[in-house]
């Protein structure tokens, strides 16, 4: 036996375990391989690759890495979902694993005492709040709010025609007022700088700021939560805000109870909550916060969607005229649109969908977190992964929306004006309201508000771009936007809202005076 032969056989013997080890390692690696994604820095991962408007970067990465890709944010795994198919499989079919939210220590546990439904984990408290909320906001229950939404739409239209320069303020006021009326059954709020609206907006901005990554060290070092109050100013201040906000929301409930006792049970969300409080096992504090949450979740989102509508009308006059022709043919010029007209206004219903699809006010929705390890298409998704669904990319998927950058409501209608269903959108035509078990609870209220506001404004007025000194239209930019944390809305732009006919203003004023006569209009 030569030396060479000896060496070869020894090598062969040694090679067996080495190869086995490599195969086993690569098998176990592939077993734990997360979806592909952009290469990042050691330790810090992709943290510095995230620009301001993340949804645009994510949509670029979708082209490179596909419908599901992963990121590493300083050791925290994140996956981004970019297609209806992946979202349907994970967020809908596997909703028991994908319905949790990331932990928001300051924004949720301290500032809202752990009972703010939108930030809540997927747990018993969330289930209780969701069940109770759903009962007051499902499609049938939401119909109760139509009369007050109609009144609000008329008042909004009146304000827009009288002072179109401040159209955005009117819309913010109107959206907040109509959610307040629906939630508490109060009379409409008339001023955009009403202290109540300011107070609630402040609360929401405080929560959103606190939820931003890096806003508080305790999110990185959760052990800090156990520091005594005297050592942690942030904790003392957070708890004080929670006490004040709880006092405010419980005060609203108290006011409602007095109203019910003196004026009877006006249909509103809180009346149904108080009625069902015992059945759902809600404490007074939980009832108060659940109602308060609706204001925060519903007002700015609806106002932002209305500003998208204004942008679309300014840029797409043909679409505006088409909707106006439809409204005139169904409603006529002698009265204002009503909810009873909704089934006969397919183009307008499609326009509501297109407003939400074209510029989703929450392009990345609210994040989720996996509550167990999972596997998808051979990729490993560990427990605790943050899950972001890219509504922006899905609403612009060229397979379903070929000319996705255009505002074109007719994309949702067939040649007989029947509604075209877009798979994976639960009949909404878009995914702007979210997915699965945590889909927006106020979507029916919002769809109703958008419909009646848009119908009434378009019945009464023309929306046009302003003009420069030479009479040329000043067109706003399609793409400029402002990320306000809670919502993304078009950047401010001027436009005019002029009565369509001499009678338009009279009809609107008469309606406003007879419905809201007691108000100083
Ligand atoms: C155009 C208007 C609106 C838009 C675009 C919108 C969008 C959303 C989105 C994207 C979510 C997260 C869904 C998910 O995680 O999959 C959400 C959650 C929620 N929305 Fe809305 N929303 C709107 C109006 C409203 C209104 C009017 C209300 C209340 C009256 C409301 C109440 C809520 C609540 C309570 C949640 C939390 C649900 C949960 O975490 O279980 N929203 N909304």
């Amino acid at each position: 036996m030569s030396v060479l032969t000896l060496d070869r056989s020894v090598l062969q013997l040694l090679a067996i375990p080495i190869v086995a080890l490599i195969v086993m390692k690569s098998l176990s690696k592939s077993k734990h391989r997360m979806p592909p994604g952009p290469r990042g820095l050691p330790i810090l991962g992709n943290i510095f690759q995230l620009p301001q408007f993340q949804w645009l970067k994510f949509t670029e990465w979708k082209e490179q890495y596909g419908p599901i890709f992963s990121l590493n944010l300083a050791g925290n795994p994140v996956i981004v979902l970019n297609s209806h198919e992946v979202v349907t499989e994970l967020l809908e079919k596997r909703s028991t694993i994908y319905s949790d939210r990331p932990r928001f220590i300051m924004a949720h546990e301290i500032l809202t005492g752990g009972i703010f439904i939108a930030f809540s984990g997927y747990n018993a408290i969330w289930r209780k709040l969701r069940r109770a909320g759903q009962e007051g906001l499902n499609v049938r229950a939401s119909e109760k709010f139509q009369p007050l939404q109609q009144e609000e739409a008329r008042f909004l239209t009146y304000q827009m025609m009288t002072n179109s320069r401040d159209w955005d303020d009117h819309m913010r006021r109107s959206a907040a007022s109509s959610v307040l009326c629906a939630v508490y059954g109060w009379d409409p709020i008339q001023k955009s700088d009403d202290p109540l609206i300011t107070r609630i907006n402040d609360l929401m901005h405080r929560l959103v700021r606190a939820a931003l990554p890096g806003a508080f060290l305790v999110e990185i070092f959760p052990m800090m939560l156990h520091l005594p109050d005297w050592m942690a100013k942030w904790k003392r201040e957070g708890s004080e805000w929670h006490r004040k906000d709880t006092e405010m929301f419980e005060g609203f409930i108290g006011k409602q109870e007095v109203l019910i006792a003196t004026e009877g049970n006006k249909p509103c969300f809180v009346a149904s909550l108080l009625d069902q409080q015992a059945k759902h096992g809600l404490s007074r504090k939980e009832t108060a916060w659940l109602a308060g949450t609706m204001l925060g979740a519903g007002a700015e989102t609806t106002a932002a969607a209305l500003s998208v509508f204004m942008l679309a009308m300014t840029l797409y006059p043909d679409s505006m005229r088409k909707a106006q022709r439809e409204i005139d043919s169904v409603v006529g010029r002698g009265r204002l649109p009503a909810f009873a007209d909704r089934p006969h206004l397919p183009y307008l219903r499609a326009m509501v969908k297109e407003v939400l699809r074209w510029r989703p006010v929450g392009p990345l929705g609210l994040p989720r977190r996996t509550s167990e390890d999972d596997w998808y298409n051979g990729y490993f998704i560990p427990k605790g992964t943050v899950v972001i669904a890219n509504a922006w990319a899905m609403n612009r998927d060229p397979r379903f929306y070929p000319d996705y950058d255009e505002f074109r409501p007719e994309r949702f209608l067939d040649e007989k004006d029947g509604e075209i269903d877009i798979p994976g959108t639960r009949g909404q035509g878009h995914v702007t309201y979210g997915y699965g078990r945590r889909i927006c609870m106020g979507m029916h209220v919002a769809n109703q508000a958008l419909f009646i506001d848009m119908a009434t404004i378009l019945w009464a007025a023309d929306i046009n771009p302003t003009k420069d000194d030479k009479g040329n239209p000043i067109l706003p930019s399609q793409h400029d936007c402002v990320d306000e944390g809670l919502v993304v809305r078009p950047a401010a732009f001027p436009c005019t809202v002029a009565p369509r006919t001499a009678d338009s203003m009279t009809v609107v004023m008469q309606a406003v005076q007879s419905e809201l006569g007691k108000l100083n209009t």
Side-chain angles (χ1 to χ4, degrees):
M1 191 185 276
S2 72
V3 175
L4 191 68
T5 328
L6 178 77
D7 276 357
R8 191 175 285 154
S9 60
V10 170
L11 279 176
Q12 275 168 352
L13 273 176
L14 278 176
I16 294 169
I18 291 171
V19 170
L21 205 73
I22 291 170
V23 169
M24 269 167 63
K25 261 203 144 179
S26 77
L27 273 178
S28 91
K29 216 172 169 188
S30 75
K31 197 176 149 209
H32 289 97
R33 194 164 47 106
M34 286 195 67
R39 187 188 283 269
L41 294 172
I43 302 174
L44 293 174
N46 309 101
I47 260 180
F48 296 116
Q49 286 163 282
L50 298 182
Q52 189 192 4
F53 300 138
Q54 288 172 10
W55 55 94
L56 300 178
K57 189 76 201 165
F58 289 173
T59 306
E60 250 175 71
W61 279 336
K62 170 199 163 186
E63 300 307 321
Q64 211 174 332
Y65 301 105
I68 176 167
F69 63 81
S70 67
L71 301 171
N72 162 13
L73 300 187
N76 297 304
V78 175
I79 53 168
V80 182
L81 316 180
N82 300 286
S83 80
H84 293 97
E85 291 82 356
V86 184
V87 160
T88 304
E89 178 58 36
L90 300 186
L91 302 195
E92 304 266 350
K93 294 194 185 151
R94 304 188 199 177
S95 58
T96 45
I97 302 178
Y98 288 85
S99 295
D100 204 8
R101 295 259 191 243
R103 191 172 176 197
F104 298 107
I105 297 181
M106 188 61 177
H108 184 237
E109 294 170 28
I110 296 181
L111 284 170
T112 74
I115 47 176
F116 184 74
I117 183 173
F119 284 174
S120 171
Y122 186 55
N123 54 31
I125 295 182
W126 173 81
R127 267 183 212 98
K128 188 164 70 164
L129 296 171
R130 178 94 196 183
R131 227 177 286 128
Q134 205 68 45
E135 202 159 301
L137 294 174
N138 63 40
V139 68
R140 177 68 62 78
S142 300
E143 286 171 8
K144 283 193 290 215
F145 309 133
Q146 291 180 353
L148 62 92
Q149 288 180 318
Q150 186 174 292
E151 281 178 20
E152 196 50 74
R154 293 170 178 191
F155 188 44
L156 169 66
T157 305
Y158 167 75
Q159 284 192 311
M160 305 250 304
M161 287 195 294
T162 3
N163 169 11
S164 61
R165 232 185 46 184
D166 296 333
W167 64 265
D168 193 40
D169 281 351
H170 301 320
M171 290 190 148
R172 286 179 197 250
R173 179 212 56 77
S174 170
S177 174
S178 81
V179 180
L180 263 179
C181 296
V183 172
Y184 295 105
W186 298 343
D187 285 340
I189 285 181
Q190 293 183 62
K191 296 206 174 86
S192 48
D193 59 354
D194 187 288
L196 188 58
I197 297 185
T198 314
R199 175 84 203 272
I200 289 162
N201 283 344
D202 283 353
L203 160 67
M204 286 313 290
H205 289 134
R206 202 163 44 246
L207 296 188
V208 169
R209 271 199 310 274
L212 290 177
F216 287 90
L217 267 183
V218 65
E219 314 290 340
I220 302 164
F221 306 110
M223 288 293 284
M224 287 174 69
L225 191 54
H226 304 293
L227 286 174
D229 280 7
W230 63 269
M231 284 179 73
K233 188 167 169 245
W234 51 271
K235 205 172 153 189
R236 278 199 311 279
E237 285 180 354
S239 306
E240 182 54 16
W241 274 117
H242 177 58
R243 192 193 57 73
K244 283 189 196 153
D245 292 332
T246 303
E247 200 175 272
M248 169 174 77
F249 289 141
E250 288 189 351
F252 293 172
I253 296 278
K255 188 171 158 189
Q256 183 62 30
E257 284 166 335
V258 173
L259 272 179
I260 293 174
T262 50
E263 293 178 20
N265 212 346
K266 219 172 163 187
C268 68
F269 180 64
V270 167
S272 84
L273 269 189
L274 288 171
D275 214 33
Q276 307 286 324
Q277 198 174 342
K279 177 177 132 191
H280 294 296
L282 291 180
S283 67
R284 188 175 178 78
K285 187 173 170 185
E286 286 166 345
T287 308
W289 268 93
L290 182 57
T293 305
M294 299 305 155
L295 305 179
E300 289 285 291
T301 41
T302 311
L306 283 172
S307 68
V308 173
F309 160 70
M310 294 297 283
L311 179 69
M313 295 302 93
T314 311
L315 292 175
Y316 293 86
D318 290 348
S319 187
M320 175 173 75
R321 307 238 177 281
K322 196 163 172 183
Q324 286 171 328
R325 279 199 299 277
E326 183 186 71
I327 296 168
D328 288 353
S329 73
V330 172
V331 179
R333 298 302 304 163
R335 67 171 178 89
L336 291 166
F339 276 101
D341 301 314
R342 203 176 178 195
H344 313 294
L345 295 172
Y347 190 78
L348 205 75
R349 292 199 311 271
M351 196 181 249
V352 172
K353 293 181 179 179
E354 183 69 341
V355 160
L356 291 162
R357 178 206 72 83
W358 187 55
R359 293 286 178 274
V361 300
L364 299 176
L366 283 178
R368 307 282 184 90
R369 183 176 63 172
T370 50
S371 45
E372 281 173 36
D373 285 352
D374 194 22
W375 285 264
Y376 173 74
N377 264 4
Y379 297 125
F380 177 59
I381 301 166
K383 177 180 172 175
T385 299
V386 171
V387 182
I388 295 174
N390 186 357
W392 176 266
M394 281 178 265
N395 282 351
R396 301 163 78 81
D397 187 330
R399 292 173 302 161
F400 305 114
Y401 316 102
D403 46 356
Y404 54 78
D405 216 17
E406 295 297 309
F407 181 88
R408 215 172 53 80
E410 36 283 270
R411 71 175 75 251
F412 294 113
L413 298 174
D414 62 23
E415 59 287 350
K416 289 185 178 151
D417 280 347
E419 292 186 16
I420 292 177
D421 188 34
I422 309 287
T425 66
R426 290 191 178 199
Q428 296 298 314
H430 56 80
V431 290
T432 304
Y433 287 126
Y435 326 82
R437 296 187 190 188
R438 297 207 73 149
I439 196 166
C440 173
M441 260 164 71
M443 58 193 269
H444 306 299
V445 175
N447 278 340
Q448 287 180 181
L450 295 176
F451 166 79
I452 200 69
D453 287 349
M454 287 161 52
T456 313
I457 293 170
L458 290 183
W459 181 94
D462 284 327
I463 299 156
N464 285 310
T466 47
K467 295 193 171 145
D468 66 15
D469 297 344
K470 294 190 181 117
N472 301 315
I474 308 171
L475 289 178
S477 148
Q478 277 226 39
H479 295 286
D480 281 0
C481 61
V482 182
D483 185 350
E484 294 185 347
L486 186 64
V487 291
V488 175
R489 47 167 54 235
F493 64 94
C495 64
T496 63
V497 183
R500 284 175 63 200
T501 63
D503 287 348
S504 303
M505 189 57 146
T506 320
V507 177
V508 173
M509 269 181 77
Q510 278 166 355
V512 168
Q513 264 154 8
S514 74
E515 285 166 1
L516 307 174
K518 59 184 176 219
L519 296 175
N520 175 21
T521 55

